[in-house]
Amino acid sequence: MKVTEHIAKAKGKTLCSFEIIPPKKGNNIEELYQNIEPLIEFKPPFIDVTTSREEYFYKKHANGLLEKKITRMRPGTVGICSAIQYKYGIDTVPHVLCGGFTKEETEHLLIDCFYLGINNVMALRGDARKEERYFQPTKDGHRYAVDLVKQIKDLGRGKFLHDIIETDYGTNFCVGVAGYPEKHLESPSMAFDLARLKEKVDAGADYIVTQMFFDNQKYFEFVEKVRLTGINIPIIPGIKPITTKRHLSLLPQVFKIDLPEILVSELEKCQTNNDIRQVGVEWAIEQSRELKRWGVPTLHYYSMGKSDNIVDIVSKVF
Ligand code: FAD
């Protein structure tokens, strides 16, 4: 089923969904199952699986020379989506990126999803590679997420790349796109960012999932501004619990998001990692409860490969 159909079927009741990351190359899928099984107890209507960008590394040869190689450390997104759908009967949402994929590879990936019965995809640009300051589009790939949305929607109309085939192919993906309550870090202004979001929606996006935020007021204001642009698709809040002290500097630096003063001071008082985890869990519970009262369609939790803290939160909210 599509994400939007799950939301419509819930008739205003808030759902809970999760985002997971594929295991590092070399790890077994059993570990992933063990990690997500506690989440499955909450009967999520859908689970997102992220896609990681390719990375460079240097392979050292016997003669001492270094060879630049490219790899993907967490491959397997579509395979994991399919495995979860068939093992647990839960819909999945693979993240599809512009960065690191040619349009041709994206077409093939979408065809795989179609054959596997995956009805939803999240269309994202991806970040700049670690060694680059700014995002560089892949040769023969897309520059912006809006172009990816257009390709996905074209395929739904039976329009393949290069106009080689036009048929009533039958893919009909429900497409999610990213939204930023505190604006995307590269956008010069919120108005600019909202205009770009509107372009993604006009191209056919069916729902929006937000970047993490720690102050619900930012989400409420964002929804108000988005609605003023004429966008009326669901806006799903993304919730990430803080788990380490490092997040205090890392999250503002990487995502350009603010942490509320009261949260910062609570975190600064913490002596141990367990104290930090507890503050993160309690903050996320309060955020979730308020968002649920407000009537958000889904509370979408970023698990980042760990489920114990998410279980603690969700069991108090649902
Ligand atoms: P876009 O919508 O393309 O926007 C990127 C920037 O370009 C914005 O500043 C926008 O304002 C600007 N822009 C857009 N169109 C134009 C235009 N025509 N002209 C000029 N500027 C323009 N990353 C991963 O690598 N893997 C994942 O699985 C992943 N999952 C995510 C899930 C969610 C819910 C979110 C919120 C983010 C996720 N990301 C993921 C991170 C995402 O890839 C980055 O935030 C990325 O920097 C932007 O992606 P986007 O799809 O919002 O890009």
Side-chain angles (χ1 to χ4, degrees):
M1 235 163 100
K2 294 180 175 188
V3 167
T4 46
E5 289 170 341
H6 283 294
I7 292 171
K9 200 172 145 214
K11 296 197 168 77
K13 194 172 148 243
T14 300
L15 302 167
C16 80
S17 54
F18 306 108
E19 180 183 289
I20 61 166
I21 56 175
K24 275 203 172 142
K25 196 149 61 178
N27 286 18
N28 200 292
I29 194 162
E30 286 306 324
E31 284 172 36
L32 181 126
Y33 291 149
Q34 277 170 20
N35 197 35
I36 63 170
E37 264 164 27
L39 302 177
I40 282 167
E41 299 288 316
F42 297 104
K43 300 196 169 34
F46 61 92
I47 293 178
D48 277 50
V49 184
T50 62
T51 295
S52 65
R53 278 216 64 172
E54 76 283 21
E55 297 171 29
Y56 286 124
F57 74 101
Y58 289 90
K59 184 178 157 86
K60 195 166 186 183
H61 288 285
N63 60 5
L65 288 178
L66 296 173
E67 190 187 355
K68 194 175 179 184
K69 294 267 187 198
I70 201 155
T71 189
R72 206 174 284 278
M73 287 312 290
R74 294 181 184 270
T77 300
V78 172
I80 291 169
C81 284
S82 176
I84 292 175
Q85 286 205 175
Y86 286 93
K87 188 171 167 72
Y88 303 107
I90 291 172
D91 284 304
T92 50
V93 188
H95 290 191
V96 184
L97 302 184
C98 302
F101 294 87
T102 65
K103 293 172 200 169
E104 203 74 35
E105 285 166 339
T106 297
E107 185 169 275
H108 296 165
L109 184 148
L110 293 169
I111 291 170
D112 282 346
C113 290
F114 177 53
Y115 289 160
L116 290 166
I118 294 168
N119 299 311
N120 305 284
V121 290
M122 183 82 188
L124 298 147
R125 188 195 70 178
D127 284 318
R129 271 203 302 257
K130 275 189 198 139
E131 51 288 319
E132 288 169 352
R133 185 126 188 245
Y134 300 105
F135 176 85
Q136 297 295 337
T138 298
K139 188 171 178 294
D140 298 323
H142 295 296
R143 179 176 284 275
Y144 296 115
V146 64
D147 306 314
L148 191 52
V149 176
K150 285 178 189 159
Q151 182 181 0
I152 300 165
K153 289 290 164 175
D154 274 352
L155 200 64
R157 289 185 280 270
K159 192 169 182 292
F160 287 71
L161 289 174
H162 322 303
D163 302 324
I164 46 174
I165 310 168
E166 292 223 18
T167 169
D168 58 345
Y169 187 57
T171 70
N172 186 12
F173 292 109
C174 177
V175 181
V177 290
Y180 300 85
E182 298 176 62
K183 135 182 139 44
H184 184 257
L185 65 163
E186 293 163 30
S187 279
S189 70
M190 187 50 132
F192 180 93
D193 211 31
L194 288 169
R196 304 288 80 79
L197 180 61
K198 179 81 164 57
E199 282 165 7
K200 293 194 274 194
V201 175
D202 290 345
D206 298 287
Y207 67 98
I208 296 162
V209 183
T210 75
Q211 181 59 279
M212 68 184 83
F213 56 90
F214 293 89
D215 175 356
N216 285 349
Q217 203 49 40
K218 300 256 165 78
Y219 169 84
F220 300 141
E221 286 166 12
F222 175 67
V223 172
E224 207 179 311
K225 286 181 198 146
V226 171
R227 297 294 178 229
L228 284 174
T229 69
I231 294 174
N232 51 26
I233 59 175
I235 305 173
I236 297 173
I239 305 291
K240 181 185 156 35
I242 290 206
T243 50
T244 76
K245 209 157 203 171
R246 214 163 77 85
H247 282 152
L248 271 175
S249 54
L250 192 82
L251 300 178
Q253 192 191 344
V254 175
F255 301 105
K256 300 280 179 291
I257 51 174
D258 279 343
L259 301 189
E261 209 43 62
I262 178 165
L263 173 60
V264 174
S265 70
E266 286 303 309
L267 289 167
E268 278 187 330
K269 281 185 220 151
C270 292
Q271 300 292 325
T272 65
N273 280 341
N274 203 39
D275 294 345
I276 299 262
R277 180 192 177 280
Q278 202 45 38
V279 170
V281 164
E282 278 162 21
W283 189 270
I285 291 173
E286 288 314 311
Q287 260 198 288
S288 304
R289 284 184 175 150
E290 188 184 27
L291 290 162
K292 194 165 168 244
R293 282 196 299 276
W294 200 76
V296 299
T298 299
L299 283 162
H300 191 66
Y301 294 95
Y302 297 123
S303 83
M304 311 297 281
K306 288 200 177 72
S307 58
D308 58 330
N309 54 348
I310 306 290
V311 168
D312 288 355
I313 297 159
V314 177
S315 57
K316 296 271 170 27
V317 178
F318 288 90

